[in-house]
Amino acid sequence: MAEEQSPVQLAALAPPQDGAYVLRKLASGLQLSADGQDADVRITCVEVWNGNLYVGTSAAEIIHFVLLPPESNDPSEEPTAIQASRLQPTFTQASGDGVQQILLLPKVSKACVLCNNTLSFYSLPELSPVFNTLTCSWVGGVDLNLEGDDSGDDGVVVMIGLKSRIRLVRIFQDSNPRSLKTIEYGGCLISVRRGTFSCAADSHSYALLDVEHQQKIGLFPISSLDPNASDVGGAAEDITTTAPSHTPSRSVSSASTHPTRPLQEEQRGHSRSTSLGMFAPAGSARTESPRPPRQRYGFDVPESLSRTMSPTPSRSRERDHPERTSSLPRTSTPSPEKPLPPPPPQETTEEQEVPSQSQSFIPLKPHVASPSPNEFLLTVGTTPSEPGVGMFVNLDGDVCRGSIQFSSYPDAVVVDGSGIDMSTSLGPDMDAEEGYVLAVVQHQEEIQTKYRVEIQRWDVDAGEGEATKEWLDLNPISGSAINDGEKATIPLGIRSVVEPSDLILPEITEKLLVKQLNVSPSNQAALHQEEAKRKKEDLEFTERLSKLRTQIVLWAGNQIWWAARNPLVTRLDARLQQAQSTPTGDGIRIHPIRQDVERVLGDIRGQEYRNESEYLSLIYIRQKASILLFMELILRSSTNIIIFENEKRVTEQALVEGEVDPRVVLCLLPILNREVVQGPEGIQISGGIATLVEQFLQQNDLSAMPASINGPFGDNLLQLVKRYLQFWKRRKGMASVTNDPYVFQSVDAALLHILLLLDLDSPNGPANAGSIRAELNEFVDNEVECFDRAVGMLEHFKRLYILSRFYQKNSKASVKASKVLATWRRILEGEPDEGGEFIDGELELRKYLSRIRDQSLVEEYGAWLANRNPKLGVQIFADDNSRVKFEPTRAVALLKEKAPGAVKDYLEYLVFGKKHTQYVNELIAFYLDIVVAELESSPDSREILLQTYETYRILHPPKPTYRQFITDNAVDAEWWTSRLRLLQLLGSNQPATASYNVPSILSRLEPYEQELVPEMIILNGRQGRHQEAIRLLTHGLGDYDTAINYCLLGGSSIFRPSGYVPQEEIPSREEQARLFNYLLQEFLRLEDLAQRIERTGELLERFGGWFDVAEVLERIPNDWSVDILSGFLIQALRGLVREKSETTVAKALSGSQNLQLAAKLVDKMEELGPTIERVK
């Protein structure tokens, strides 16, 4: 391959060609004359076969060149033309035309050369004379239907145009030619044959010949101004009879339906051998036409050409094809779409129309081509400078499709391609190709004649054909003869050679060959090494795609060029290259024209590929167009322009359809280009795209572009790129998607970066549904390829909570929990977390610890949390649903070692939360330590306690119990709460509380018995010192209601919460009476006389049943009024009376029971009777 060109060199090349055909040099600088004086010598015809170039000149010479491969071994370079021979064919009289035709017959290794109306035969490839010469006007007519048949055993049949007839001759490789038949058609200038049908032309008109049945249908005059072609067209004529010359018939003659002499020469060979000077006419054979509904032989008059039904060919064709543009000129109703030449003279019943005398008749050269096996293309016109018309006729002589128009009457016409039938095709035909007509036309500009090659489609309707008409770009032809790129000042020649040749277009390789994108200069050495290896592997593949086949040659002056189909990729890429820069730019700096790029995408939308080359071409074009649109967004965004939403949507859709490597998109953007990850092979993309991207990066400094998230960069680009990266992420793992891990590492890194940038302005707190933060959470909660880069970015953006979620999904199982917990601890210890999403972080950590199985982590972070938040942390060690469970003894030991401040909370959680009463004693000890330590160290705390007693005592009844009072007026301090819990534990009735050491506790509380009155009451009660306990209740606290409860409940749980008390816990009535007597004694000792009288009276009145009247009267002071005891005395006397009455009734009931029993005894004795005992 040629040395790779830099982007700047590529930009300086010739302008891109987006036409249907491109020129590739075949040979140049040819010496056309033997003496080197080429001024008056021109090329008249060209043939190429098997590496041989045959050039016919106006000097009546044939120059044979051997085409050697280029010295550079680059198949895309111009081959070297070495002259092998120069010969002058034999001719009898110089007509000035020189070599008129070169007809190569490769099947039989022969060449027919017509020079000055003399036909010579030569052998191939060296052009040695082999047969005698012959005078004729034309040679050709090789059956085009046999082009694919390489067998030459039966020879090749050619048609030779003699003065008054056409002779069919079979030429063999190793024997003399044989004449097959003679057709009475004189003055033939050209003929194209398909099977047994041939479309021929003389100097005036065209005719369709049945060479087997020897019949003819006259078609159209070549020029509508020709006075000698006034009566062409109509019925079929029998041309088997010998006539002195060929003249179009003026009368209507019916075709013979039963010819008398069949001809079998074409099918079974020849019965006799003749020399070239003894060509004899052969008979004709009759074959049955397959056309229904009746049998036809040869050219029976088709209905479309019957003069009784169609007076003129024009009207016949108009009737048969009303939907198409008429191919014939009409005087009455000219075509509104195409200006046609004046109509030919038409025969009428009254008179013959005479052509306008204002235009003089100039003979036109007839042109016949066959675009398909069933069609012929003919050219008609008026004068060489006026527009010409191409007419299509089928094998029946009927116009079969709409006409085409040439800007002027063509000098030469070539058809190429089998055509695409859009009406019948159900899907893409892999072998179908567009049908084109290439015509050399001329027009006069001032005093100079200019030549151009007009290209148009023949397989589409007339309207579409207008849209696809174009001019061949002649810029590659060197010299001053080229004007405006499409015009030449010297005559041009064009023809289709005998066999197709393969060409290599380096542009295809340059565009489609996969190469490494240069985005990291530091890595170029390694990349170039890898690229060289890969390029060698891909070169053969791309060269295969770069091969083109063509049979069309174009010549001008002493240069010969191949006219090859412009491949789809180069045509479309040329349009993109033209849209790559604005018209006002320098043509090098990239500034895409959005409308033109979108138009290219619109033209190929929905287009289906027909082969591998088109498949890769469409992919390449879609990718390049989408990148150009994206570049356009970047450039406009860099100027602080907010872009319309529809333009962003179009760009995004183009990227999605093109499926461009996302790294290519990322390398075009500031900030995000750092996220591109390349492997040893770099970024592998098509060469054309790589060149485009490298040019863009050279021309634009990405670091200088504004990259504000709240500006055009964020609005125009980030959201679009985010959606495109998400599209790629969704496609991961699909069979049609690359498995290159570096692609998805780049995708994930860039997508995370974009989400972090867009989330900067989100408010702190959890994500809302549909928000950027929700997308960010969803992203890290799934698998991410770029682990290290993601960790670095999240640390950089200080998104620790997102980092913990990332660790949870993407870390290895062995380190997942440790990384998550370590990150959460960093947040809880005060490191900034910009998102502020870790709400109730301590609770989240506690829940997480209950879900993991790593005991060491649970111990470590459980102790850490217990130190930080003891009440929450200790739940980890006591949670029965946790996957890691701790025995309480182990947990207490662990907490004492690592979190001593949480031991109390752990015991509280066990006792109060989990109801594990076996830990009450340990908890009491902790409470005592806290309360005693507080009283020892703080006089204020002691004063607070004393003040509560004083305050409570002065309250007037009804007042709450002391327990309720201190609970409602609690101090926000740990020691106060611990004291309440201590009272709850000391005063509860749990069986485990009986095991605590009361004397030991009393010994610790005695120094503070004035401050800790409730505790002393409970402990005295536990020891059975009820009188002392009641004394403290009455005189220490003044809590009379609690003192009464103490008597009723036996002092068992005076400070426990109110509620149901089991019957077995209630003391006996005697015990209650004893306690009430203690309470009465203490009430009578109250210092306040009013309180003494009130409390005593109330006690005796409410609970008089528990007192003995005599004992009460003895203890009541004598000076108290009876009214104070009235309630008690009345209740007591009523009780005595009730007791006496009950006793009387009981005695009476007992007496009646005795009488009943006595009566029953008597009755029984009587029943049994006496018993006699014998006494010995």
Side-chain angles (χ1 to χ4, degrees), residues 853-864:
R853 298 180 183 274
D854 192 327
Q855 183 167 351
S856 62
L857 286 178
V858 175
E859 290 181 1
E860 178 186 355
Y861 286 94
W864 175 82

Side-chain angles (χ1 to χ4, degrees), residues 51 60 63 200 214 222 342 583 644 648 676 754 872 1066 1100 1150:
I63 311 173
Q214 304 253 357
I222 301 171
F644 292 117
K648 290 185 281 188
V676 175
I754 291 174
L872 187 61
I1066 298 176
L1100 293 175
S1150 297

